[in-house]
Amino acid sequence: MGFTDAPIICNSPLGFDAGNDFEGAASQSNTVCISDPVLTWRSVTTELANQLAMFGEIARIDTSFMPTMKCLLVTYYDIR
């Protein structure tokens, strides 16, 4: 199963606006939640990182929700 086979369940901006009191990468990032109901991506692999990098420079890939919510969080740098 490739990246295009997994539905994106939310495009939730969890980053912060540049105009607030936060500094650094958090003020210039955005996180998306990607559903993986069949647990294809239990860990971060080179293939997964390459597929997700098509959408921008990756700051973080979080798979901690895989066992319970069957989704992963991907945070991208500077999404302006």
Side-chain angles (χ1 to χ4, degrees):
M1 175 180 273
F3 175 74
T4 56
D5 297 328
I8 295 176
I9 57 170
C10 62
N11 272 335
S12 174
L14 301 176
F16 301 98
D17 293 331
N20 65 18
D21 294 334
F22 296 95
E23 295 184 22
S27 66
Q28 299 295 319
S29 65
N30 198 19
T31 301
V32 292
C33 176
I34 302 173
S35 173
D36 184 11
V38 294
L39 299 176
T40 303
W41 302 317
R42 294 178 193 185
S43 62
V44 178
T45 63
T46 302
E47 178 186 1
L48 173 62
N50 288 338
Q51 290 177 354
L52 295 171
M54 295 184 327
F55 302 101
E57 184 180 1
I58 297 171
R60 179 178 184 217
I61 300 174
D62 182 355
T63 59
S64 63
F65 290 115
M66 290 303 286
T68 56
M69 299 181 67
K70 296 185 171 95
C71 68
L72 61 112
L73 300 176
V74 184
T75 302
Y76 291 94
Y77 287 112
D78 194 13
I79 50 82
R80 291 181 274 167

